[in-house]
C-alpha cells in the first residue's frame, strides 16, 4: 500500500510505460548500486488522456565496468477512467560498449524483458544508447525497439526515440530539455527538465533527482506530462 501511494504521488502518463519517459546513459560504473523510483502523470482535459499515470521501483548493481543489470520490483499503472494496479516486473540490462571519451560519442546497448502480472504476452526492448559531452553540455539519444513475445503477442515491432540535453551549472543543478517520439502512437512531446545530484554526508552515496514537464507537440500526444525521478546511488 505504501508503494502504491508513493507511486501515485510521483505520477506517470499516457498509453506508454514509465520507462518510455527516461533517456538512458550508456555509462556503467563498476560496483555501483542504485535504488530508483520514477514515474509520470498526465494532465489533460480530454477523458482519454487525463489521469493516466505510471511508476516503477527498481534496484540495479553494476557487476563489471560494462554491464549493469536492473530489476524492477514493482510497476504501477493507471489508465484514464480505471483504477491503479501493479502490472508486472522487468529485468533490464545496460551494456557499455565504448570507453568514455575514446570516440566522437559514447555508445551502449539497452536490452530488457518485461513480464506481465497475471499472465499475457511478455515484452522485450532493445536498442542503442548514445551520449556526447562537450564542456558543460551533455546530449543523450536513445533508439528503442519493442516487441511482444509469447502467447497472444502482437506481430508488429514498435519503435520510440528520445533525446535529453542538459547544461551542468553545478552538480546539483542541471537544467535542460527532453524530447520523446512514439511514431506508432503518432505522439510527440518535448519540454523543460531539471536534474541534479547531491552527495550524502558521511557516506559513499549520492541522491539524484529529475523533474520535468513535457508538452504535447501534436494532437495525439498528451497536452502536459509531469515527470519525476529519485535515485540513491552507493558503493
Amino acid at each position: 500500500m505504501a508503494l502504491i501511494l508513493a507511486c501515485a504521488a510521483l505520477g506517470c502518463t499516457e498509453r506508454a510505460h514509465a520507462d518510455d519517459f527516461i533517456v538512458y546513459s550508456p555509462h556503467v560504473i563498476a560496483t555501483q548500486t542504485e535504488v530508483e523510483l520514477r514515474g509520470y502523470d498526465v494532465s489533460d482535459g480530454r477523458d482519454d488522456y487525463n489521469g493516466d499515470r505510471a511508476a516503477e521501483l527498481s534496484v540495479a548493481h553494476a557487476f563489471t565496468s560494462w554491464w549493469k543489470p536492473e530489476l524492477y520490483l514493482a510497476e504501477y499503472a493507471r489508465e484514464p477512467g480505471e483504477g491503479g494496479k501493479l502490472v508486472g516486473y522487468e529485468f533490464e540490462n545496460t551494456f557499455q560498449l565504448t570507453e568514455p571519451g575514446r570516440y566522437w560519442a559514447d555508445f551502449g546497448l539497452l536490452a530488457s524483458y518485461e513480464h506481465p502480472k497475471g499472465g499475457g504476452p511478455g515484452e522485450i526492448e532493445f536498442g542503442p544508447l548514445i551520449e556526447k559531452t562537450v564542456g558543460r553540455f551533455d546530449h543523450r539519444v536513445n533508439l528503442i525497439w519493442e516487441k511482444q513475445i509469447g502467447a497472444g503477442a502482437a506481430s508488429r515491432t514498435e519503435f520510440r526515440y528520445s533525446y535529453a540535453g542538459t547544461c551542468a551549472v553545478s552538480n546539483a543543478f542541471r537544467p535542460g530539455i527532453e524530447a520523446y517520439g512514439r511514431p506508432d502512437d503518432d505522439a510527440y512531446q518535448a519540454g523543460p527538465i531539471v536534474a541534479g545530484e547531491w552527495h550524502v554526508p558521511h557516506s559513499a552515496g549520492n541522491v539524484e533527482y529529475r523533474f520535468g514537464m513535457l508538452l504535447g507537440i501534436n494532437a495525439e500526444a498528451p497536452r502536459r506530462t509531469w515527470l519525476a525521478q529519485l535515485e540513491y546511488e552507493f558503493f
Side-chain angles (χ1 to χ4, degrees):
M1 181 60 69
L3 171 62
I4 294 175
L5 291 176
C7 291
L10 279 175
C12 267
T13 182
E14 82 176 272
R15 309 164 186 181
H17 301 98
D19 56 1
D20 283 13
F21 295 102
I22 183 71
V23 187
Y24 295 94
S25 171
H27 297 154
V28 173
I29 302 176
T31 75
Q32 186 178 70
T33 299
E34 303 170 357
V35 180
E36 180 183 65
L37 178 63
R38 69 170 180 253
Y40 68 83
D41 183 88
V42 168
S43 176
D44 193 311
R46 295 170 293 178
D47 292 340
D48 289 345
Y49 293 87
N50 197 50
D52 194 1
R53 59 178 60 99
E56 299 174 328
L57 174 67
S58 67
V59 176
H61 180 76
F63 288 95
T64 71
S65 60
W66 55 269
W67 174 48
K68 181 183 73 175
E70 186 165 3
L71 180 63
Y72 289 79
L73 304 175
E75 296 184 336
Y76 166 89
R78 179 189 182 277
E79 295 185 3
E82 300 183 7
K85 59 183 178 180
L86 296 175
V87 296
Y89 314 94
E90 185 174 354
F91 181 61
E92 182 180 273
N93 298 272
T94 299
F95 300 97
Q96 180 176 308
L97 302 181
T98 62
E99 295 181 16
R102 183 171 183 179
Y103 302 102
W104 67 269
D106 302 331
F107 295 88
L109 177 69
L110 181 78
S112 70
Y113 169 72
E114 182 176 3
H115 182 75
K117 186 178 177 66
E123 185 175 88
I124 58 173
E125 294 185 346
F126 56 92
L129 313 175
I130 307 167
E131 184 167 355
K132 175 69 173 179
T133 302
V134 181
R136 292 179 176 268
F137 295 92
D138 183 77
H139 304 273
R140 297 179 184 178
V141 173
N142 292 176
L143 307 172
I144 305 297
W145 284 263
E146 307 171 7
K147 180 74 172 71
Q148 290 186 347
I149 59 173
S155 59
R156 71 175 184 175
T157 299
E158 296 187 352
F159 171 72
R160 72 177 191 270
Y161 59 85
S162 55
Y163 164 80
T166 59
C167 175
V169 178
S170 67
N171 285 340
F173 183 61
R174 299 195 310 270
I177 186 172
E178 292 184 358
Y180 297 86
R182 293 182 301 283
D184 294 279
D185 296 332
D186 192 27
Y188 304 90
Q189 299 168 268
I193 64 100
V194 60
E197 180 179 357
W198 290 291
H199 176 68
V200 179
H202 311 296
S203 76
N206 298 305
V207 173
E208 287 194 1
Y209 74 91
R210 169 177 153 269
F211 299 102
M213 182 188 68
L214 304 176
L215 300 175
I217 296 175
N218 64 332
E220 298 302 318
R223 291 171 182 167
R224 289 174 300 278
T225 301
W226 300 91
L227 308 179
Q229 178 182 3
L230 289 173
E231 181 177 305
Y232 178 59
E233 305 172 340
F234 61 94
F235 293 90

